[in-house]
């Protein structure tokens, strides 16, 4: 039986990063992964493949709609969907191979198979096809990083062929003619954009009265305008009751705002109503680990479960289901195990939606500030007023900065526009150092860049004196 200081269950961004940091700190480390490829949801069926398809489809869309304005003429332009999926698969396999390389480099032992607790210090690993011998690991500490799976309500049964989750939407054999999407959250809008750009008719049916409703309301309003231009249709304030399939057709049955029954028909339906923590056959009862009422592993503020020596991180615990949040938690637990005193500022975990325009945010939304009674100032600046935006024809969107009315400290930054997924990091750094809006406005920003919108929004927030508006 092998013995380790730390065993990590699950090789997603939470698990594999935790394992690397443990090994760097001199702890003898093992990682267990059900599947043959490492990297979890993020690398195999999440962040990486979705971004690969978003990039490919955006290139096609630009070639189709925008190249002519740039003076580039193309004949016979059409998507080669098979090649798009092939390239996406290559990106995934290169990225997963990279994680395997990092495990070898850091001398982390990789066990392939389903891990489950036999008791709090013993974990068994069995191949998921049930074949082969059971491997047994003895461990002082365990980090549970088993992630999440697609969620669906009763009546939205995913058959993986026509009624699909994000996992199948990343490996379709054809471009849907009409794609119905339940949920205008991150998955629905990112994957909806992919297929709308490739020519599918896309209709999104959403329960809330806005899209990306967890973000600052102004962002959803702006994004909806942009996605409508792409041809996407939105049915807001609609509660989906169920989805039916007859042959190659799917029907979504919903209640509209007035409570009237409405139906939508298409050839595929993507169910994107959230994800649920994954703890199947983990043997939590044998180790005595408690879960909360939403099926997540319960942890304290140090990511410790109720059992000494067992920790949990990432999608399987409370908080945002984001790869970078899982990574931070992985590093946190590793450093704590090595006797350090790490810290995570959960208020400064950025969120990004990779549509075009992109949406990105950090800190409080205007709605949250209103609800808290905090006095705040708002500054904003539209991208269309920037020379950089005119040069590249990326004219949609804005930067919005919320600052404390008295101290001028930046409390939240919300952006929709070109490359804001990257630009948001300026706001994260500023907020980490508790910058004021004036601090940001006095930093020299390169010209011409999209980042000038951040400086201008800060000028607007601090003293209502943008220079270019
Ligand atoms: P996971 O990545 O889910 O990894 C868990 C791993 O544990 C899996 O490999 C699983 O097989 C393994 N496992 C589970 N149980 C066992 C067991 N008993 N034994 C052995 N192995 C086990 N987040 C972002 O930040 N940015 C994005 O752009 C983004 N895009 C996304 C796009 C899509 C389509 C989806 C579905 C998700 C996206 N996410 C994104 C969310 C992100 O993928 C997750 O937040 C992240 O992967 C969580 O990491 P994790 O390590 O907690 O778990
Ligand atoms: P989500 O929570 O973002 O959105 C789900 C949407 O479905 C909500 O708007 C909700 O109101 C709606 N909904 C729920 N029940 C409904 C019903 N009966 N009828 C109509 N609408 C209904 O969940 P999503 O998009 O599935 O994503 C899951 C997680 O994956 C997210 O929490 C996110 O953290 C992560 N993710 C992150 C990405 C990123 O960072 N760019 C990309 C993709 C996923």
């Amino acid at each position: 039986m092998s013995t380790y200081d730390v065993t990590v269950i699950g090789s997603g961004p939470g698990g594999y990063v935790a394992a690397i940091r443990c090994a760097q700190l001199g702890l003898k480390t093992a990682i267990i992964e059900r599947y043959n490829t490492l990297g979890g949801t993020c690398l195999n069926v999440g962040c990486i493949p979705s971004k690969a398809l978003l990039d490919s489809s955006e290139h096609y869309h630009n070639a189709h709609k925008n190249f002519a304005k740039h003076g580039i003429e193309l004949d016979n332009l059409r998507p080669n969907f098979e090649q798009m999926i092939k390239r996406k698969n290559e990106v995934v396999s290169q990225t997963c191979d990279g994680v395997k390389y990092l495990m070898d480099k850091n001398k982390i032992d990789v066990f392939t198979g389903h891990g489950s607790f036999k008791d709090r210090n013993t974990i068994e690993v069995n191949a998921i096809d049930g074949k082969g011998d059971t491997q047994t690991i003895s461990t002082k500490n365990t980090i549970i990083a088993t992630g999440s799976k697609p969620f669906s309500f009763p009546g939205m049964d995913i058959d993986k062929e026509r009624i699909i989750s994000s996992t199948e939407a990343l490996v379709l054999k054809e471009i849907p003619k009409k794609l119905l999407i339940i949920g205008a959250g991150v998955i629905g809008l990112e994957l909806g954009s992919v297929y709308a750009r490739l020519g599918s008719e896309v209709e999104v049916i959403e329960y809330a009265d806005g899209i990306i409703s967890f973000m600052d309301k102004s962002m959803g309003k702006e994004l909806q305008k942009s996605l409508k231009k792409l041809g996407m249709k939105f049915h807001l304030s609609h509660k989906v009751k169920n989805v039916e399939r007859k042959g190659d057709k799917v029907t979504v049955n919903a209640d509209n705002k007035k409570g009237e029954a409405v139906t939508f028909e298409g050839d595929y339906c993507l169910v994107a109503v959230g994800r649920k923590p994954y703890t199947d056959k983990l043997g939590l009862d044998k180790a005595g680990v408690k879960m909360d009422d939403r099926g997540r592993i319960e942890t304290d503020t140090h990511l410790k479960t109720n059992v000494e020596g067992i920790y949990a991180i990432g999608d399987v615990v409370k908080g945002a289901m984001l790869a970078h949040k899982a990574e931070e938690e992985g590093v946190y637990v590793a450093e704590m195990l090595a006797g350090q005193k790490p810290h995570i500022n959960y208020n400064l975990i950025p969120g990004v939606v990779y549509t075009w325009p992109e949406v990105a945010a950090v800190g409080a939304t205007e709605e949250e500030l209103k609800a808290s009674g905090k006095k705040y100032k708002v500054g904003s600046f539209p991208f269309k007023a920037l020379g950089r935006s005119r040069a590249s024809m990326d004219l949609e969107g804005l930067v919005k900065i919320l600052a404390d009315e008295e101290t001028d400290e930046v409390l939240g930054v919300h952006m929709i526009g070109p490359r804001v997924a990257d630009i948001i990091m300026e706001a994260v750094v500023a907020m980490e150092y508790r910058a004021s809006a004036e601090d940001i406005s006095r930093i020299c920003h390169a010209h011409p860049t999209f980042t000038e919108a951040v400086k201008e929004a800060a000028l607007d927030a601090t003293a209502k004196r943008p220079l270019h508006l």
Side-chain angles (χ1 to χ4, degrees):
M1 180 164 48
S2 319
T3 304
Y4 293 93
D5 294 320
V6 186
T7 301
V8 182
I9 310 180
S11 73
Y16 86 74
V17 168
I20 292 172
R21 191 71 189 114
C22 286
Q24 284 177 342
L25 291 163
L27 300 164
K28 191 177 177 213
T29 308
I31 191 163
I32 307 169
E33 172 53 56
R34 277 167 61 80
Y35 297 112
N36 288 324
T37 56
L38 302 177
T41 303
C42 171
L43 272 60
N44 290 282
V45 291
C47 322
I48 300 301
S50 59
K51 266 80 256 179
L53 288 183
L54 276 156
D55 278 338
S56 297
S57 59
E58 181 63 14
H59 286 316
Y60 172 72
H61 172 77
N62 279 331
H64 192 47
K65 300 280 181 194
N66 298 326
F67 274 18
K69 282 184 221 140
H70 281 277
I72 304 165
E73 305 278 343
L74 288 167
D75 289 328
N76 285 331
L77 182 72
R78 63 197 178 281
N80 178 344
F81 192 53
E82 203 181 322
Q83 168 59 21
M84 254 180 220
I85 296 283
K86 184 168 165 267
R87 189 196 79 92
K88 181 267 299 177
N89 291 342
E90 286 163 4
V91 171
V92 167
S93 76
Q94 283 161 9
T95 316
C96 293
D97 288 351
V99 177
K100 175 74 179 76
Y101 161 80
L102 292 172
M103 296 299 103
D104 294 344
K105 182 185 162 204
N106 286 285
K107 301 192 173 35
I108 296 160
D109 290 344
V110 177
F111 291 82
T112 304
H114 187 95
S116 59
F117 286 99
K118 203 171 158 207
D119 59 52
R120 73 187 233 196
N121 295 110
T122 317
I123 300 168
E124 289 184 339
V125 184
N126 289 291
I128 49 174
D129 62 5
K131 292 181 187 154
D133 296 332
T134 299
Q135 295 173 278
T136 306
I137 295 172
S138 163
T139 187
K140 281 189 212 147
N141 299 287
T142 302
I143 303 175
I144 302 171
T146 50
S148 63
K149 291 268 151 183
F151 170 76
S152 65
F153 290 100
M156 295 182 192
D157 301 327
I158 293 168
D159 68 10
K160 300 192 179 184
E161 290 175 359
R162 294 279 160 176
I163 304 173
I164 58 177
S165 73
S166 55
T167 304
E168 294 76 47
L170 294 165
V171 289
L172 287 182
K173 296 266 183 294
E174 60 178 355
I175 299 168
K177 286 183 195 62
K178 185 164 175 188
L179 175 63
L180 302 177
I181 299 178
I182 308 175
V186 202
I187 292 182
L189 300 185
E190 289 187 1
L191 294 177
S193 299
V194 166
Y195 288 105
R197 292 166 186 168
L198 297 178
S200 300
E201 216 184 305
V202 176
E203 293 201 28
V204 185
I205 305 129
E206 165 61 49
Y207 177 68
D209 62 359
I211 68 172
I212 46 167
S213 51
F214 51 91
M215 290 184 120
D216 192 278
K217 243 186 164 38
S218 59
M219 297 293 112
K221 281 188 189 153
E222 285 296 312
L223 182 61
Q224 196 176 337
K225 282 190 228 158
S226 300
L227 296 180
K228 272 187 179 167
K229 284 188 209 154
L230 191 62
M232 286 172 71
K233 285 194 189 135
F234 293 93
H235 305 279
L236 304 179
S237 304
H238 277 64
K239 185 179 181 185
V240 173
K241 292 181 292 189
N242 58 44
V243 193
E244 294 165 320
R245 174 183 175 185
K246 274 203 190 105
D248 289 349
K249 294 278 160 231
V250 289
T251 307
V252 169
N253 298 303
D255 284 337
N256 68 14
K257 205 177 183 173
K258 296 179 194 153
E260 297 156 346
V262 281
T263 61
F264 303 92
E265 290 193 348
D267 53 347
Y268 287 87
C269 173
L270 167 63
V271 179
V273 293
R275 293 178 61 82
K276 60 179 177 193
Y278 184 69
T279 55
D280 287 9
K281 298 187 187 135
L282 194 52
L284 291 177
D285 49 337
K286 292 191 183 142
V289 174
K290 273 197 207 153
M291 295 203 287
D292 68 15
D293 54 357
R294 291 169 64 180
R296 303 173 295 200
I297 295 180
E298 205 168 88
T299 51
D300 66 11
T301 48
H302 299 290
L303 299 163
K304 289 180 181 169
T305 68
N306 61 309
V307 178
E308 191 60 35
I310 303 182
Y311 303 79
I313 61 170
D315 280 12
V316 80
V317 302
K318 63 181 176 294
M321 287 184 162
L322 295 173
H324 41 286
K325 178 259 193 185
E327 289 187 31
E328 292 305 317
E329 292 185 334
V331 169
Y332 180 97
V333 172
E335 293 184 350
M336 201 172 48
L337 287 172
Q340 300 182 5
K341 290 195 165 39
H343 174 69
I344 299 176
N345 187 346
Y346 282 97
N347 184 43
L348 295 189
I349 293 175
V352 175
V353 186
Y354 293 84
T355 45
W356 195 270
E358 293 173 333
V359 188
V362 63
T365 63
E366 190 165 356
E367 292 73 36
E368 283 166 350
L369 292 181
K370 266 190 194 138
S372 72
K374 187 127 191 144
K375 293 216 163 68
Y376 63 92
K377 308 180 281 190
V378 188
S380 67
F381 191 82
F383 279 102
K384 67 177 178 225
L386 290 180
R388 183 71 190 88
S389 293
R390 279 193 296 278
S392 67
M393 288 192 343
D394 289 306
L395 298 166
E396 290 174 12
L398 60 114
V399 174
K400 171 173 171 179
I401 295 184
L402 302 165
D404 188 295
E405 191 174 271
E406 280 164 32
T407 65
D408 200 36
E409 180 176 353
V410 178
L411 302 173
V413 180
H414 307 275
M415 311 175 168
I416 173 165
R419 299 280 163 238
V420 298
D422 299 295
I423 299 171
I424 194 68
M425 284 317 299
E426 173 178 358
V428 180
V429 173
M431 288 177 70
E432 186 65 48
Y433 289 93
R434 302 198 59 181
S436 62
E438 185 178 356
D439 288 332
I440 297 179
S441 76
R442 291 191 180 278
I443 294 170
C444 178
H445 287 65
H447 173 77
T449 62
F450 297 121
T451 66
E452 288 170 283
V454 180
K455 180 185 172 98
E456 293 276 2
L459 275 169
D460 191 37
T462 192
K464 291 284 161 222
R465 54 172 184 88
L467 293 162
H468 292 88
L469 203 61

